[in-house]
Amino acid sequence: MADQNIEIWGHMTFRPFRIYWALEEYGLKYKSYKIGSRTGETQTKEYLEMNPKGKIPLFKHNSIYINESAAAMKYITENFNKPSDFLVPNSPKDIAKIDEWSYFCAMELDALGVYIMRRHQLVENGGLSNLYGEAPNAIKTAKEHISRMLNACDRDVPNKNWLIGRNPSCADIMFMSCLQVIKLYNIEIKSKNIQSYYNRATQRKQYIKAMTETYGYSTLEDYKKTRV
């Protein structure tokens, strides 16, 4: 499929970041629209016609629109020429393991963890309590859930390489996107395996390019300084 007519809407959050990273892995050219959530930019008539959910990210290739980050990543990996150093699995086992990691990240870490924190933390802590209300107990249990889930997956995180072998995959993009927002909310990662994995992943040039495209900074540490 031709490398052309790729557009993506969204920045400043970890879900658009997933798509940017996949695009960088494939070396694809794209046009990005740096619109944010809850800024009014996703509620215009023009945008709602493209994405009735009124959220970011939104991915477009030619006439195809995809408004879920994991689905957009999968579309990219299955419809463009695969780079030699990115894993697109062929075996049923590897396909299932990547799906397992991706669903785990989307539900256990994202939906049941960091997003609950984002909804109910104070605005000065990067939250949206002004919209959804303060809920200290919800934040507490979300943090506990994240810690429990990281502990549960610790044994499956290698002390070398990537999650499914020598090259990164969509599983790594999903996992790293969640780890970086966990760090953004100052949740301690107690696992040496996971911390070492995180440190290795942040050195990959495609990760750095995706960070810069999403947040305007090449490292999470530099981005965090702007939120203080």
Side-chain angles (χ1 to χ4, degrees):
M1 190 175 288
D3 171 7
Q4 59 183 354
N5 299 328
I6 297 174
E7 299 173 84
I8 176 172
W9 287 258
H11 75 146
M12 302 304 285
T13 77
F14 64 110
R15 290 169 184 164
F17 166 80
R18 295 166 180 165
I19 304 175
Y20 285 123
W21 189 353
L23 290 169
E24 293 295 341
E25 289 290 344
Y26 275 63
L28 296 171
K29 296 179 180 178
Y30 56 87
K31 182 175 182 179
S32 62
Y33 302 90
K34 301 302 176 61
I35 67 171
S37 59
R38 301 174 182 85
T39 62
E41 296 168 299
T42 61
Q43 303 304 309
T44 66
K45 180 181 178 182
E46 179 185 17
Y47 188 78
L48 289 171
E49 286 177 352
M50 296 186 294
N51 182 8
K53 294 177 182 176
K55 294 186 174 184
I56 55 171
L58 174 64
F59 170 87
K60 178 177 181 286
H61 176 237
N62 293 329
S63 60
I64 298 170
Y65 291 87
I66 301 173
N67 55 42
E68 292 291 341
S69 59
M73 285 195 302
K74 188 170 184 179
Y75 178 89
I76 292 165
T77 62
E78 294 184 355
N79 287 283
F80 296 95
N81 293 328
K82 185 180 78 68
S84 60
D85 60 346
F86 189 84
L87 174 63
V88 179
N90 293 315
S91 73
K93 175 186 174 182
D94 286 348
I95 292 171
K97 295 307 289 185
I98 288 177
D99 283 347
E100 180 182 41
W101 272 106
S102 297
Y103 300 153
F104 166 76
C105 292
M107 289 303 302
E108 302 296 348
L109 297 181
D110 183 344
L112 298 178
V114 294
Y115 190 60
I116 289 175
M117 292 179 60
R118 175 165 166 73
R119 286 172 69 97
H120 298 296
Q121 284 199 127
L122 298 176
V123 175
E124 54 264 36
N125 294 330
L128 298 167
S129 61
N130 58 317
L131 299 177
Y132 298 106
E134 297 180 30
N137 193 53
I139 294 172
K140 177 177 179 292
T141 55
K143 287 183 178 180
E144 291 171 348
H145 181 76
I146 289 169
S147 295
R148 189 163 61 252
M149 290 300 101
L150 289 181
N151 183 61
C153 73
D154 172 74
R155 68 178 187 180
D156 296 321
V157 177
N159 55 20
K160 294 181 180 179
N161 298 326
W162 299 85
L163 294 176
I164 317 292
R166 296 166 61 178
N167 294 316
S169 68
C170 284
D172 296 283
I173 295 177
M174 288 293 291
F175 193 41
M176 278 297 294
S177 72
C178 292
L179 290 181
Q180 68 184 29
V181 77
I182 286 169
K183 282 183 166 288
L184 188 63
Y185 287 137
N186 298 313
I187 299 174
E188 181 184 4
I189 296 177
K190 297 179 180 179
S191 163
K192 292 182 179 179
N193 262 2
I194 296 176
Q195 184 60 57
S196 175
Y197 165 87
Y198 176 87
N199 292 340
R200 295 196 307 274
T202 58
Q203 302 304 306
R204 188 169 177 84
K205 66 178 182 179
Q206 292 91 336
Y207 169 89
I208 294 171
K209 288 181 178 179
M211 281 293 296
T212 304
E213 190 70 41
T214 308
Y215 299 102
Y217 294 89
S218 60
T219 70
L220 184 67
E221 290 69 26
D222 287 340
Y223 172 61
K224 285 179 71 172
K225 292 175 184 177
T226 69
R227 294 165 56 94
V228 177

